[in-house]
Amino acid sequence: MEIEMQIIIVGCGKVGSTIAEQLSAEGHDITIVDTDESVVQALATRLDIMGVTGNGATHSILAEAGVEEADLLIAVTESDELNLLCCMVGKKAGAEHTIARVRNPEYSQDIGFMKKELGLAMTINPEYAASTEMARLLRFPSAIEIDTFGRGRVELLEYKIEDDNILAGKSLIDVGKNIKSDILICAVERGEDVIIPNGSFVLKSGDIISVVASTENARDFFKKVGCGSNEVKDTMIVGGGTIAYYLANQLIPLGIKVKIIEKSHERCEELSAMLPNAVIIHGDAADKDVLLEEGIESCSSFVSLTGIDEENAFLSLYAKSVSNAKIVTKINRISFDDIIEKFDLGSMIYPKHITAEYIVRYVRGLQNSVGSNNVEALYKIIHGEAEALEFYIKEDSSMTDKTLEAMPIREGVLVAGIIRNGKVMIPNGKSVFQKNDSVIVITKITGMQNLEDILK
């Protein structure tokens, strides 16, 4: 039985509207609040949800939005302080759970205190979340994208098959026989199509495959297909904003040398004080002489983090043309992603998407407290064309102790992994589910809430 939740979203910018879209598609009762009447009306009409115009930090506006009955209030305006105030007022006025977007690094050491004192269920920092994804990619440069399940024990990696790769022209059965790696190729993106493949499916160069594996087995697989998973030794970051600061902070302890190129002299001085172990260069990266002088041709990774998407795209294309670096590109405006996908910009990171995904995942977790085999984690994969879900089996049910081959599993659904007692298993027809297992499912069918939903 699906639990519909009453959710108020304050702030209808890119993040707020993305969250509203995803949560309303999952059948929740959404009310949006923003001071801009035209934005509220347009979004409310498009998604067929309730809209309230006004300041979401005031009791009267929150009352109009139905705060007393709200299961969750999410504050994602541009201002951290306003978000915290919304949550404080909302909590006092009756909202059961509250989530605030807090992005200023100055608040980062106080998050624990704020959560406790203001009764926040969760805080989300888009820049920090984006930098964490980037750091993960730089540790595993062969992958285009990486998501993790089972508290980091299982990785879902996207990988592009180049012309000379040994996987090109092989069926999945051949791959299993020849490469002898305990991994599962669970989805293939070929041009515009997304395929959940079976054993006879033949891979081609240009395919982007999604691979499920434990961290160790993923490393083994990449080695065997000729991509040593050598971690990057150094990185050149263009743009010295908040993400660059967080990313440098995560890479330096791993022994990765960090060089940041930033236009603003004042910001360079701030970064020099905050990141004594990074090299900070004052210069304009739009001038390719600056990039060449700073060693773009020999760097092992390149990350474009300016505030302008077009500039990031051009910088990444240039880095790709002059070096063999692992390339990571930040894209803010989600509306152009179909055009941007056509360029080969390495790994693309959308901070807004990541934020929305974290929040949707939390909401699904809240629903989980009710029901026996509900979703623990959800990732949109292959540009939102498919979902990877993690279900936790709380108790014995009709799904336990039956072999997979005996189950009438729906078309377009693949059971990709089982985590039992901390061990990762790639399942076959004889595998069975047991109580306390985590089960990873890949599917093109959206909105699955229970493990039973995989059955016909």
Side-chain angles (χ1 to χ4, degrees):
M1 222 310 264
E2 197 33 55
I3 315 297
E4 180 189 292
M5 294 170 75
Q6 310 277 338
I7 299 174
I8 298 172
I9 298 170
V10 182
C12 294
K14 295 190 193 80
V15 174
S17 50
T18 308
I19 296 165
E21 207 165 297
Q22 292 196 12
L23 291 177
S24 112
E26 301 212 349
H28 298 294
D29 189 345
I30 308 294
T31 303
I32 49 170
V33 178
D34 198 283
T35 48
D36 186 327
E37 187 170 357
S38 60
V39 169
V40 169
Q41 279 185 341
L43 188 60
T45 306
R46 181 163 70 84
L47 299 179
D48 192 19
I49 54 179
M50 273 271 297
V52 174
T53 305
N55 179 348
T58 62
H59 181 258
S60 56
I61 291 294
L62 286 180
E64 196 182 326
V67 71
E68 286 165 20
E69 274 77 54
D71 296 298
L72 177 63
L73 181 139
I74 302 168
V76 285
T77 74
E78 285 302 306
S79 156
D80 291 350
E81 293 77 10
L82 188 61
N83 293 338
L84 291 165
L85 185 58
C86 286
C87 287
M88 192 168 84
V89 174
K91 187 83 179 151
K92 290 264 188 268
E96 190 145 348
H97 302 273
T98 55
I99 295 177
R101 173 165 80 168
V102 181
R103 58 209 309 194
N104 187 337
E106 287 179 9
Y107 292 137
S108 53
Q109 61 258 46
D110 295 333
I111 287 299
F113 173 79
M114 287 178 184
K115 281 174 77 170
K116 184 166 173 278
E117 293 303 314
L118 301 179
L120 296 169
M122 172 185 176
T123 59
I124 180 82
N125 179 334
E127 285 77 11
Y128 185 75
S131 73
T132 303
E133 298 258 330
M134 290 174 185
R136 198 184 287 152
L137 285 162
L138 293 179
R139 291 205 300 271
F140 224 132
S142 309
I144 302 173
E145 195 173 319
I146 303 174
D147 291 309
T148 61
F149 291 97
R151 302 196 175 85
R153 289 190 185 95
V154 178
E155 293 190 321
L156 175 71
L157 306 105
E158 274 187 29
Y159 168 66
K160 185 171 184 178
I161 300 177
E162 302 295 350
D163 293 345
D164 53 353
N165 192 284
I166 63 168
L167 296 175
K170 298 261 193 318
S171 74
L172 296 195
I173 292 173
D174 294 340
V175 172
K177 280 184 193 147
N178 301 338
I179 294 179
K180 293 199 171 35
S181 245
D182 203 8
I183 60 107
L184 182 71
I185 296 172
C186 59
V188 179
E189 182 186 356
R190 180 172 290 170
E192 302 285 301
D193 297 331
V194 175
I195 302 136
I196 305 286
N198 59 21
S200 58
F201 183 86
V202 177
L203 299 168
K204 286 185 186 169
S205 67
D207 285 350
I208 295 175
I209 59 174
S210 294
V211 177
V212 174
S214 66
T215 311
E216 305 73 51
N217 291 340
R219 280 213 173 85
D220 177 57
F221 170 73
F222 278 115
K223 252 190 212 108
K224 285 178 176 166
V225 298
C227 301
S229 59
N230 307 331
E231 292 172 1
V232 297
K233 308 280 187 294
D234 56 28
T235 191
M236 180 183 282
I237 299 172
V238 175
T242 312
I243 296 183
Y245 164 72
Y246 285 133
L247 179 59
N249 248 345
Q250 292 186 49
L251 296 180
I252 290 166
L254 299 173
I256 295 172
K257 295 191 180 88
V258 174
K259 180 179 281 188
I260 299 175
I261 301 176
E262 164 58 44
K263 255 195 283 206
S264 151
H265 189 265
E266 195 185 332
R267 180 61 177 163
C268 283
E269 290 187 337
E270 286 173 9
L271 287 169
S272 296
M274 293 192 296
L275 297 166
N277 295 321
V279 176
I280 313 295
I281 304 293
H282 176 229
D284 184 358
D287 176 354
K288 68 178 183 193
D289 291 340
V290 171
L291 294 173
L292 290 166
E293 211 172 287
E294 293 309 329
I296 189 169
E297 292 165 298
S298 59
C299 67
S300 59
S301 64
F302 179 87
V303 186
S304 48
L305 297 178
T306 77
I308 302 162
D309 289 351
E310 292 79 359
E311 193 174 336
N312 290 338
F314 283 121
L315 284 165
S316 290
L317 287 171
Y318 178 64
K320 193 169 188 297
S321 72
V322 297
S323 75
N324 294 318
K326 164 73 181 174
I327 291 171
V328 179
T329 311
K330 177 183 72 122
I331 302 290
N332 270 327
R333 287 205 304 273
I334 297 172
S335 46
F336 290 123
D337 58 0
D338 49 345
I339 299 167
I340 285 167
E341 300 296 351
K342 293 189 170 59
F343 296 113
D344 195 354
L345 300 178
S347 298
M348 285 183 283
I349 294 283
Y350 300 88
K352 309 273 187 294
H353 266 170
I354 294 168
T355 307
E357 208 163 86
Y358 271 45
I359 290 175
V360 171
R361 218 175 290 163
Y362 174 79
V363 170
R364 286 192 162 195
L366 272 185
Q367 292 172 290
N368 258 356
S369 32
V370 190
S372 58
N373 302 325
N374 290 24
V375 180
E376 285 284 299
L378 154 82
Y379 295 96
K380 297 276 183 196
I381 60 171
I382 318 179
H383 327 304
E385 294 293 317
E387 287 186 349
L389 305 116
E390 181 181 353
F391 294 95
Y392 178 66
I393 301 180
K394 289 185 189 166
E395 54 200 49
D396 288 320
S397 70
S398 61
M399 299 294 286
T400 51
D401 299 325
K402 251 191 217 153
T403 62
L404 285 187
E405 61 192 9
M407 290 186 199
I409 291 175
R410 289 162 78 172
E411 195 76 18
V413 173
L414 185 67
V415 177
I418 298 171
I419 306 167
R420 183 171 298 154
N421 304 327
K423 270 185 65 87
V424 181
M425 301 185 293
I426 300 296
N428 58 34
K430 300 280 181 268
S431 301
V432 294
F433 299 145
Q434 293 179 6
K435 184 180 164 184
N436 298 329
D437 282 353
S438 284
V439 178
I440 296 159
V441 170
I442 310 290
T443 179
K444 286 167 73 174
I445 303 162
T446 53
M448 286 195 175
Q449 306 290 348
N450 289 288
L451 189 53
E452 285 81 359
D453 293 344
I454 72 171
L455 302 177
K456 284 175 185 160

